[in-house]
Each structure stands twice: as C-alpha cells, then as structure tokens.
Amino acid sequence: MTPSTTEPTAVDEETAAAPEASEPRRRRPRWQLVVAVLAAVFLVEATGVWIGSQLHDDSPGEHSVEAGFSRDMSVHHAQAVEMAEAVRASTTDPAIRTLAVDIDLTQQAQIGQMRGWLDVWGLPPTGRDLAMAWMGEPTSGLMPGMAGADELKRLHASTGTSGDVLFLQLMIRHHQGGVAMAQAVGPKARPEVRRLAAAIVTAQQSEIDAMTTMLKARGAEPLAPPKQDSGDESMPGMGHG
Amino acid sequence: MPANPSKPPTKAQNPAPKQKASSASERRAAAAKEQAERLRRERRKEIRRAALIAGGAAVALVVGVVVIISAAGGGSKGNSIPAGTKTFKTAARNHTEDPVTYPQNPPVGGPHFPVWQNCGYYSSAIKTEMGVHSMEHGAVWITYRPDLPADQVAKLQAKADSTYILVTPLAGIPTPVVASAWDHQLQLDTATDPRLDEFVRSFRQGPQTPEPGALCTSGNGQPE
C-alpha cells in the first residue's frame, strides 16, 4: 500500500495523544509511595527486633551451670531449712534457737532468689539432668552433706541437748557439702550467680567454724565430712579423716 | 498500476474517496477511541500497581508481625504439658477442719486442712485434705493403687527423694497411678510412663502453684 496522506496526520495525532497518556505515569499517587516505604521500614524493623532478640537471648539454658546450681542448691537449702525448723521450736537453748532462725530464714530467702532466676530464665525448677551434672558429678543419690531419711527422723524426734548436738553435727556436715557445691560455680557463670555462690561459701564457712565451737562446748565432735569424689584437698574444713 | 480486467478499476484506483469521507470526524473519533483505550490500559496498570503495593504491604505486615511474635516468644524454654493431662478450675481454697468431699479422686484442689502433709513417700494413706494443702504449696502428689507392684512403688518412692513430691497410696483411683497438681491431673497405667516425669517437670513448684514459696516440710507427717 502506498502511504496515504492521512498517515502523517494519524501519526501526529498519536504523538499528540502520547504525552497525555504518559502524564498519569508521572503523577504516581503519593499514597502508594507512603505505603511502600512504611511497609519496607516495618519489615526492616521487625527483622531488627528478631536479630536483637537472638543476640540478647543469652539467658542460661537447661543444662547450664547457672540452672543446675540454682536447682540443686534450692533442694540442698530446703533440707537446711527443714533441719533448722525441726530444732527451732523444740530447743530450749537461745543460742541454738537464734542460729536455727538465722539459717532458716537466710537459706529460705536464697531459695527464693534462685527460684526467681529460674523463672526469669524461663526454666522450671525441675531439670532434665541428674543432680550435680552441672559440676561434673552427676548423681541420683543425695547431694554432698545431706542428711539421710533416718537421720532426719532422729532429728525430728530428738529434744534437749542431744537434739542440739545432732542438729549441730548434721548442719556442719550439710554446710560442708553446700560450700563444695557453691565453690563449683566457675568463673564463667553469670555474675549474679557467682555473687550468691561466693556469699554462700563465705557465710557457711564462718558458720561451720561457729557451730564447731558450739559443738565442742557441748562435749561432742563433728561427723565425718562429706566424701568428695574429686578429692579436692583445697577445700577448707574438708579434712580426710 | 496494471489494471486487473476481472476487477473494476475504480476500487483499486480510488482508495482516497473512502478515506477522504472519513478524514476529519472519523479520524478524531478513532484517535479519541485509541486514547480512551490507552487511558483505560494506564488505569488498569495503575490499579494493578496499587494492588501490588497494597498486597505487598499486607504481606510485609503479616511477615513482620510473625517475626516479632516469634522473637518475643523465643525466650520461652518451657515444657509441654504431657498429653492426657486434664485441667480443672478450683474456686474454693479455704481452710477447714471438716472432712471434704472432692469431685475428683484423687482431688486436684479445693477446701483443705490448715496443715499440709510433708512431702516424701508414705506407704499408708494420708488425710486427703492435707494432700490438697501440699498441692497448694506447689507439690506434685503422686497417688498409687494399694496393689501396685512393688518395683513400681519403688520407682515412685525414688521420685519422692526430691522436694515438693508427695507419694502416697490411695484406694479407688481410676488408674494404677495418678499424678496431680493444683488443678491438673494425669492418669497413668504404670509408674514408668515417661509422662510422669514430664508432669513433674511441668508442675513441681510450677506456675499453677497458688502459694509460691510455701514449704512442703514443717507440716504434718514423717515421710519414710
């Protein structure tokens, strides 16, 4: 077909129409831009929140030293509380009663402290590991220094000076075990856990000394200290005899 | 152009008259129609773009919310409550020295004796109203049928070496072993069911405890 004279006109009209057709393209609605930017910002922020939570979620885990210490020491302390309660009401000796109240309330408060930590860490008081697995000595038996069922029965049944003596003997040995466990919290544990462990070591070592003096004043001797599989001779009050 | 004898010459030689007749108005109409089409295509493109942006924003919103929620919940290392655990809603917790008839056997909560039963293992039945008080203090109360085989009883007794675990025989319970905590109960056929340990882990001094921090010693009874 030969080019007709109408074609240039048609082309002109097309070109004339073209700029009008492209104008809406340049006038993109502002709301689209705003929504797109907000969505992008939100996604970036959400990703940031997630990254932050991954970086900051350094709370002790199920098998950590902190969790094991908190769980085991809570059980260990609970027996000290039970023994102190057993003698507190029945003793006639004010010095023994004061000591019992002191141990009772201090260790019960420390149990609360450790349970609070576990709560914040999102861990239940019951662990999946055996006792003392966190310190390399897993056991399904009693923890160091703890009284057996028969010893507790005797303590609950005893009165007077013999009750005081049995209480002192059991509590000295109990403290020795507690000190060994607290000393097993290594330097890598969280600072607040190390602080409590160190406070337990200091306070209970001092109480061991005081109780040993009271015991000897009543004409009795301490029991054999708890056996230590590790054979660590550096622990005070842990003579092998 | 060589004329084709079979066709009238005027058609091939006179294309102009038809176009000439449609020149002004028809061309404008055609152009306007094209422009209208173009505008409609542009409008559809705009609508698609807007839909894409709105859709993309909605997806970004959902993804972001999911990410934030999973990050927030990421700190929880809690356990799953074992399958088969029943949950109850006990209203009354008052102290009473009268015998109490509980809806469940063993009970899961309710009015109870002012003194709790000391945690540990017992080979004889205890006062249920005291066991309920122990659960108020966070104890897991494991009851077993009096005819439970001795080796299974020994397994339950070993669990009572920990604190806040109460193990006692109880007649008339629906299964050989029943584990209870305040407002929660799990019926088991054997003492070796792994769900028993999961129940203990979920509820021993667990979040259901009405009186957290309370003792399970210094109450009544001497465990064996």
Side-chain angles (χ1 to χ4, degrees):
Chain A
M1 254 196 243
T2 51
S4 67
T5 48
T6 61
E7 283 192 34
T9 321
V11 168
D12 284 342
E13 287 188 352
E14 268 199 51
T15 337
E20 288 168 28
S22 68
E23 272 179 35
R25 223 173 273 139
R26 280 188 244 119
R27 267 191 295 110
R28 178 179 300 160
R30 190 176 299 135
W31 74 265
Q32 291 187 8
L33 197 61
V34 170
V35 166
V37 167
L38 281 181
V41 166
F42 183 73
L43 251 189
V44 167
E45 281 220 34
T47 310
V49 165
W50 180 81
I51 291 174
S53 81
Q54 297 303 306
L55 290 176
H56 288 115
D57 185 17
D58 58 354
S59 61
E62 173 64 32
H63 308 286
S64 61
V65 164
E66 292 91 342
F69 170 79
S70 299
R71 287 162 168 160
D72 289 352
M73 195 55 88
S74 292
V75 172
H76 201 266
H77 272 23
Q79 193 186 69
V81 169
E82 178 182 359
M83 296 198 294
E85 274 294 298
V87 79
R88 181 183 61 80
S90 65
T91 187
T92 53
D93 187 332
I96 297 287
R97 186 176 310 116
T98 300
L99 174 67
V101 169
D102 193 3
I103 291 171
D104 192 337
L105 297 180
T106 300
Q107 296 208 14
Q108 187 66 10
Q110 290 176 354
I111 289 173
Q113 190 172 348
M114 292 182 279
R115 290 238 5 258
W117 288 338
L118 288 166
D119 204 5
V120 166
W121 300 334
L123 297 171
T126 313
R128 293 196 190 282
D129 297 334
L130 288 177
M132 305 204 304
W134 59 276
M135 47 189 274
E137 298 173 31
T139 180
S140 47
L142 290 177
M143 285 183 277
M146 287 187 71
D150 289 337
E151 289 170 320
L152 282 176
K153 272 182 207 150
R154 279 197 305 147
L155 182 65
H156 282 293
S158 63
T159 54
T161 311
S162 61
D164 298 345
V165 163
L166 183 57
F167 168 74
L168 290 168
Q169 286 174 326
L170 292 176
M171 193 58 79
I172 287 169
R173 195 183 63 186
H174 196 272
H175 274 29
Q176 288 166 333
V179 165
M181 288 172 66
Q183 284 174 329
V185 174
K188 290 200 191 124
R190 291 165 70 98
E192 60 272 24
V193 178
R194 280 189 278 119
R195 274 199 297 274
L196 178 62
I200 288 170
V201 169
T202 307
Q204 293 197 6
Q205 277 175 336
S206 157
E207 281 172 6
I208 287 169
D209 293 341
M211 286 190 288
T212 306
T213 304
M214 290 170 78
L215 188 59
K216 289 188 170 160
R218 284 157 180 76
E221 287 298 312
L223 303 171
K227 291 196 187 74
Q228 279 296 296
D229 293 335
S230 60
D232 187 353
E233 312 243 14
S234 66
M235 286 187 228
M238 298 291 303
H240 292 268
Chain B
M1 197 181 292
N4 194 329
S6 58
K7 286 204 175 143
T10 48
K11 207 174 176 189
Q13 287 176 356
N14 292 309
K18 246 192 181 173
Q19 291 198 358
K20 245 195 199 153
S22 68
S23 56
S25 58
E26 281 196 27
R27 280 199 303 275
R28 270 197 295 276
K33 196 175 168 194
E34 277 184 51
Q35 178 155 355
E37 277 298 328
R38 233 175 276 124
L39 285 176
R40 270 196 289 274
R41 275 200 300 275
E42 281 301 318
R43 187 92 203 99
R44 275 198 293 273
K45 272 198 222 167
E46 278 179 30
I47 291 173
R48 261 199 301 275
R49 192 184 304 121
L52 269 177
I53 287 180
V59 167
L61 186 73
V62 167
V63 167
V65 166
V66 166
V67 164
I68 288 177
I69 289 177
S70 76
S76 153
K77 307 176 187 82
N79 342 277
S80 44
I81 292 170
T85 302
K86 293 192 195 132
T87 305
F88 304 85
K89 216 166 161 66
T90 307
R93 280 171 47 195
N94 53 292
H95 287 180
T96 174
E97 297 192 16
D98 300 329
V100 180
T101 306
Y102 296 102
Q104 290 82 27
N105 188 37
V108 294
H112 48 271
F113 198 75
V115 185
W116 56 95
Q117 186 75 27
N118 286 328
C119 281
Y121 163 77
Y122 299 82
S123 58
S124 337
I126 61 161
K127 200 173 163 66
T128 52
E129 294 83 352
M130 288 198 202
V132 171
H133 199 158
S134 306
M135 291 194 292
E136 192 189 44
H137 287 191
V140 167
W141 186 7
I142 303 173
T143 47
Y144 62 93
R145 275 195 194 140
D147 59 358
L148 188 75
D151 61 316
Q152 293 197 39
V153 175
K155 290 217 161 53
L156 299 181
Q157 184 173 4
K159 294 195 194 307
D161 280 345
S162 182
T163 55
Y164 292 89
I165 311 266
L166 176 64
V167 177
T168 74
L170 186 55
I173 56 178
T175 54
V177 175
V178 181
S180 307
W182 190 272
D183 272 348
H184 296 81
Q185 193 166 81
L186 178 63
Q187 295 176 2
L188 301 163
D189 289 326
T190 66
T192 50
D193 192 322
R195 290 179 295 159
L196 181 54
D197 281 344
E198 285 306 308
F199 189 92
V200 168
R201 188 168 148 87
S202 297
F203 298 112
R204 173 177 165 266
Q205 291 185 296
Q208 85 292 346
T209 306
E211 294 178 351
L215 296 179
C216 205
T217 51
S218 300
N220 175 74
Q222 181 65 54
E224 293 154 47

